[in-house]
Amino acid sequence: MLSQTHTGTLFAKWLNGATANALKADIELKLSATKTTFEGYSQYHFDDIARPYQQTRQKIFDGQLNDDGHAQFSLKLPSAKRAPGALKATFITRVFEPSGNFSTAIRSADYRPFTAWAGIHINEGNGYRGAINREQDHPVNLISLDNQGNPLTDAEIDIRVFKLNWRWWWEQGNEN
């Protein structure tokens, strides 16, 4: 689990290029779930679909720009140990004019809250929508990667297998 504190700098200027000094500004961080992918491993699933993730928002800066139009802030990323996988971090920045009007900038970045990732791949079966036949053996491929997508050779993966009750397709619920 990553729990780093980062520092950031905010800089604003007017459209004409003049320094936007001493203006009020704020930054909001929005975290939402996104699909976890690694180059070269697109056939693997790294997300836990049994973990729903509620989008979170938090204000990470609320202050004043200095006379040069700059402001510094620190950001401690919130705990994401219940995240289903990678998250999308969206930064919503507003700089307020003296009249109260504001300009907004929105930037997004991927946030991978874990230092190691376990992926699973099971080949599609011949059944409806790729379903596998429960009367046959099927290879299960597992892989463990670091945040840069490099294989981890000494990783331990805890595997649990559950038997699910059979249901008709219309009986599905929010059980994942």
Side-chain angles (χ1 to χ4, degrees), residues 6 39 66 70 73 82 117 157 168 175:
H6 303 275
E39 189 174 325
N66 67 15
H70 288 87
F73 60 93
R82 294 291 304 155
W117 297 85
I157 299 175
W168 291 100
E175 298 173 354

Side-chain angles (χ1 to χ4, degrees), residues 125-156:
N126 295 330
Y128 179 68
R129 296 177 73 186
I132 58 175
N133 184 335
R134 64 180 173 204
E135 304 300 326
Q136 295 177 335
D137 290 340
H138 299 277
V140 175
N141 302 298
L142 302 171
I143 192 160
S144 184
L145 304 175
D146 65 16
N147 259 336
Q148 289 70 43
N150 301 312
L152 296 172
T153 57
D154 60 347
E156 289 186 24

Side-chain angles (χ1 to χ4, degrees), residues 51-69:
R51 286 187 179 183
Y53 187 78
Q54 188 70 26
Q55 176 178 293
T56 63
R57 290 176 170 256
Q58 77 178 61
K59 195 162 278 196
I60 59 171
F61 175 76
D62 191 1
Q64 203 84 12
L65 301 176
N66 67 15
D67 289 340
D68 297 326

Side-chain angles (χ1 to χ4, degrees), residues 9-11 27-32 60 88-94 103-110:
T9 302
L10 173 60
F11 173 67
I27 303 173
E28 183 181 56
L29 170 63
K30 178 176 75 170
L31 290 177
S32 53
I60 59 171
K88 181 179 181 181
T90 303
F91 298 89
I92 304 161
T93 305
R94 300 184 306 173
S103 296
T104 304
I106 299 173
R107 302 282 187 272
S108 294
D110 289 335

